[in-house]
Amino acid sequence: MSKKTLLWGGGAKAMLALELFDLKDVIIFDPFIKKLKIKTKAEFFNKYSDLNKIIKRCSKFHICIGGMNGKIRTLIAKKLILKKLAPISLIHKSSLIHKSVKIGKMIMIMPNVVINPFVKIGDYSVINTSAVVEHDCVLGKGVDIMGSASIAGFCNLKNYATVGTNATIFPRITLGENCFVGSGSVVNKNVKKNEIVVGNPAKFLKKNISDEKNDITMDNLKRIK
């Protein structure tokens, strides 16, 4: 029997992974939902007591958790790699990615994304539909760029930074670790670590709570033995 692909997460990202990337022989695991809302022939499990059995049946995985969850995505992925599962990237055939772009592990790149020359994309990052990343940008681990966002040239997005839908980032901007740029915002100056900024021009709104303080997430991560 051939080994299966584990999709961790049973929400919208899992639906998109199944619909857009023609995945076969899939098992979905999500401890936070009782029943899938998507129609699929994939097997579904939601109990940690089943996880080790699931892992033994799989050879590869993708974490289907988006939004402001880059660190959670990264931590789960590292646990599964220790279990000898191979992370896979999902890159849509309609995306336009220059041959010079360096792509890390377990990347999701959605339809009609444009990534121009000399960009580096860190592990476990997500770039959503019709987003544009201009030349010479560096994206850290667990970055999430939402739909139709535009990142100008020479920008540096630190680990776990999130850029909201339709946001615009000016050239040579640094977005600090675990920061969040609100939808439609226009960023013309650097954003510090753990800051949430919104508006045009973007201004500080409040501090972003670190994933490490998310008790539900951390407690469940400890259950991946």
Side-chain angles (χ1 to χ4, degrees):
M1 183 180 295
S2 62
K3 291 282 190 175
K4 294 180 176 289
T5 299
L6 171 61
L7 295 184
W8 187 296
K13 285 291 181 188
M15 176 192 71
L16 292 170
L18 292 170
E19 291 291 327
L20 295 175
F21 300 100
D22 195 31
L23 295 175
K24 307 293 185 184
D25 297 323
V26 170
I27 295 177
I28 298 173
F29 176 77
D30 192 325
F32 296 109
I33 59 176
K34 293 183 178 180
K35 184 179 179 181
L36 292 176
K37 295 182 180 180
I38 57 178
K39 292 183 179 180
T40 176
K41 294 180 180 179
E43 297 178 73
F44 171 65
F45 297 88
N46 60 7
K47 295 179 181 179
Y48 276 100
S49 57
D50 294 320
L51 188 55
N52 282 330
K53 294 178 182 178
I54 295 168
I55 289 172
K56 289 178 180 178
R57 296 175 60 196
C58 296
S59 61
K60 51 192 175 181
F61 74 91
H62 191 91
I63 307 299
C64 295
I65 302 174
M68 297 171 62
N69 295 300
K71 191 161 191 176
I72 296 169
R73 197 161 55 241
T74 300
L75 292 171
I76 295 173
K78 288 182 175 180
K79 289 263 190 175
L80 294 179
I81 289 170
L82 289 174
K83 291 287 188 177
K84 308 301 182 184
L85 270 62
I88 61 169
S89 291
L90 303 176
I91 300 175
H92 197 267
K93 60 185 179 181
S94 69
S95 59
L96 181 61
I97 304 172
H98 192 266
K99 62 183 180 181
S100 65
V101 174
K102 295 182 179 180
I103 299 176
K105 298 190 293 286
M106 208 199 80
I107 307 301
M108 178 179 273
I109 298 178
M110 300 297 282
N112 301 315
V113 166
V114 176
I115 305 177
N116 278 322
F118 313 119
V119 170
K120 296 179 181 179
I121 304 173
D123 300 340
Y124 321 122
S125 293
V126 177
I127 305 178
N128 282 286
T129 304
S130 297
V132 175
V133 181
E134 282 292 353
H135 60 93
D136 297 283
C137 288
V138 177
L139 280 57
K141 293 185 298 185
V143 166
D144 196 302
I145 300 174
M146 297 186 186
S148 299
S150 181
I151 315 296
F154 296 102
C155 287
N156 186 355
L157 281 60
K158 300 292 188 179
N159 295 344
Y160 322 124
T162 302
V163 179
T165 303
N166 280 320
T168 300
I169 313 299
F170 275 28
R172 301 183 184 277
I173 293 295
T174 295
L175 301 183
E177 183 172 320
N178 198 45
C179 76
F180 179 82
V181 176
S183 297
S185 298
V186 177
V187 179
N188 61 5
K189 61 182 180 180
N190 294 341
V191 179
K192 295 179 181 178
K193 178 179 179 179
N194 293 326
E195 285 190 345
I196 297 176
V197 298
V198 297
N200 180 9
K203 296 181 179 179
F204 174 76
L205 177 65
K206 61 181 181 179
K207 284 287 187 179
N208 193 15
I209 299 173
S210 171
D211 288 332
E212 291 182 354
K213 294 181 180 179
N214 186 326
D215 292 336
I216 295 175
T217 298
M218 299 310 293
D219 285 347
N220 279 276
L221 278 170
K222 293 174 183 176
R223 298 176 68 179
I224 308 173
K225 302 298 185 182

